[in-house]
Amino acid sequence: MSKSFNLSALVRSNILSLAPYSSARSEFSGSASVWLDANESPYNGPYNRYPDPLQKQVKERLSAIKGVDARRIFLGNGSDECIDLVYRVFCEPHTDNVVAISPSYGMYEVCADINAVAYRKVSLAADFDLDADALLAATDAHTKVIWICSPNNPTGNAFSAEAIEKVLSGFSGIVVVDEAYADFSSQPSMLTRLDVYPNLIVLQTFSKAWGSAGVRLGMAMASEEILSLFNKVKYPYNVNMLTQEYALRHIDRMPEVEQWINSILSERSRLIAALDALPQVVHIFASDANFVLVLVVDADGIYTHLQQQGIIVRNRNKVEKCLGCLRITVGTPEENNAVINGIKSYDIK
């Protein structure tokens, strides 16, 4: 159980008193044959109608897969919407702050800046491990949120459940665990701890293992009380009908998605072994994700060399603790061969 958790005390006062936008669709339950409430065109069905504002069918299907009650699932326009909602619900601009591990996913800090919330970075250990005590020590009375990305981007490693639970237990605010890459990790998901920690929000996504980054569909899973606040603040129809239809079809492809995951894991091992044999590569960090962080002899030079061959990776050379590193996504066997051969062809000066 988290330390003295009081949800109402964490929420911005204007959000607590907010009267959310309400449509006749959200006020009505039952069946109807004539819809004349929303000034829609009567032509071009079904796309003339506004989509389900709460995406009930999609959530019911996801509930069976995730083992989480549908009422504890929020769907957003990508996980970035979920990240932004955390700030808008809990953090008073120019007053509150958040704490996050560093390095980590850049949108946490971007959203903090957009919402005028101070962003406090706590460096990971030399081996990229999480220091729970350091995270907790960085908080004060105005800290509303702690961000933990696990597996972490760009380092690729997952953190132990014990370390994350130490943060959850020791902090009276919100702890967000971003599990965008969890399908590629052997670490158990924190979804199983939602009933234990009322201050926990778990983020997941359709973008990575589900191969649907272009669809923009993210998931936040938390208590009904927290998600009721998200639903208060979100735009009424934040997930369009085409995305909801796609999600329902894609959920039927779960056996195929599992095959994709297994292929990526197999290719990850092969990519690591091949890169490790190259003189241009100094070190490859352990990965629980669908990418590897690679320390090379000349990050900027190799990055440019790959670009000239039409191969795009991520240069992390200027990111804290990632000096000299490239982040390489695991692709198809052909794509992985291209990046291996591209690095191999770089002339070490």
Side-chain angles (χ1 to χ4, degrees):
M1 182 66 70
S2 57
K3 169 178 141 183
S4 60
F5 180 69
N6 182 346
L7 181 61
S8 296
L10 293 173
V11 181
R12 294 171 59 191
S13 58
N14 66 308
I15 301 301
L16 277 177
S17 60
L18 176 69
Y21 177 84
S22 180
S23 69
R25 306 292 164 86
S26 58
E27 296 164 359
F28 171 79
S29 61
S31 60
S33 57
V34 179
W35 297 97
L36 301 176
D37 59 297
N39 303 332
E40 302 153 323
S41 169
Y43 308 110
N44 193 39
Y47 304 110
N48 59 326
R49 302 299 180 190
Y50 287 107
D52 175 6
L54 294 176
Q55 311 94 32
K56 292 184 285 292
Q57 281 187 286
V58 181
K59 289 175 181 176
E60 287 293 341
R61 296 292 305 280
L62 285 172
S63 174
I65 294 170
K66 300 295 182 182
V68 175
D69 190 293
R71 293 168 295 182
R72 303 182 76 172
I73 300 174
F74 175 89
L75 297 179
N77 186 351
S79 293
D80 291 343
E81 181 184 9
C82 305
I83 291 167
D84 186 57
L85 282 170
V86 170
Y87 285 102
R88 292 165 64 196
V89 169
F90 295 109
C91 299
E92 193 67 48
H94 305 291
T95 300
D96 291 329
N97 67 74
V98 301
V99 170
I101 59 174
S102 181
S104 197
Y105 180 44
M107 279 304 295
Y108 310 143
E109 186 170 8
V110 169
C111 281
D113 291 342
I114 291 170
N115 288 281
V117 174
Y119 187 84
R120 299 180 175 182
K121 300 180 183 182
V122 175
S123 295
L124 295 174
D127 61 356
F128 297 147
D129 202 6
L130 174 73
D131 187 337
D133 291 326
L135 275 178
L136 294 170
T139 66
D140 62 20
H142 289 288
T143 305
K144 291 295 187 66
V145 181
I146 294 177
W147 295 97
I148 301 174
C149 185
S150 180
N152 188 37
N153 176 13
T155 60
N157 59 310
F159 304 117
S160 71
E162 292 76 16
I164 295 173
E165 291 194 49
K166 186 172 185 179
V167 176
L168 282 160
S169 299
F171 182 53
S172 58
I174 299 295
V175 178
V176 183
V177 180
D178 188 343
E179 294 187 341
Y181 301 97
D183 293 292
F184 306 105
S185 174
S186 59
Q187 287 278 8
S189 169
M190 291 302 294
L191 287 177
T192 60
R193 312 305 284 161
L194 284 175
D195 288 330
V196 179
Y197 298 103
N199 59 334
L200 172 63
I201 299 174
V202 177
L203 303 184
Q204 294 188 0
T205 180
F206 274 67
S207 293
K208 308 303 179 183
W210 293 49
S212 302
V215 174
R216 308 309 302 134
L217 188 59
M219 298 167 268
M221 286 156 280
S223 68
E224 290 183 56
E225 293 77 15
I226 288 175
L227 296 189
S228 69
L229 295 165
F230 278 29
N231 286 320
K232 250 185 151 183
V233 176
K234 78 173 183 72
Y235 292 115
Y237 305 108
N238 62 322
V239 179
N240 67 66
M241 184 184 293
L242 296 172
T243 298
Q244 293 186 46
E245 289 176 342
Y246 172 89
L248 289 170
R249 293 194 305 270
H250 202 60
I251 288 169
D252 289 332
R253 300 174 67 191
M254 281 307 298
E256 188 177 1
V257 171
E258 292 293 337
Q259 290 177 4
W260 297 343
I261 294 169
N262 290 334
S263 295
I264 289 169
L265 292 176
S266 176
E267 277 297 296
R268 185 179 72 187
S269 297
R270 187 180 74 85
L271 178 63
I272 289 172
L275 290 175
D276 195 41
L278 301 180
Q280 293 85 353
V281 172
V282 178
H283 181 70
I284 303 172
F285 296 93
S287 175
D288 294 289
N290 68 331
F291 61 85
V292 290
L293 187 69
V294 183
L295 178 63
V296 293
V297 294
D298 178 8
D300 292 340
I302 292 176
Y303 177 71
T304 301
H305 178 70
L306 291 173
Q307 276 190 322
Q308 291 168 348
Q309 299 174 65
I311 301 167
I312 310 302
V313 298
R314 196 78 156 104
N315 189 351
R316 301 284 75 188
N317 188 33
K318 293 181 172 60
V319 173
E320 180 188 0
K321 293 189 178 294
C322 297
L323 181 66
C325 289
L326 302 176
R327 192 193 70 196
I328 303 173
T329 305
V330 180
T332 63
E334 295 76 19
E335 290 170 330
N336 297 332
N337 288 340
V339 77
I340 292 164
N341 292 328
I343 295 174
K344 186 177 182 178
S345 67
Y346 179 75
D347 185 21
I348 301 174
K349 301 293 190 291

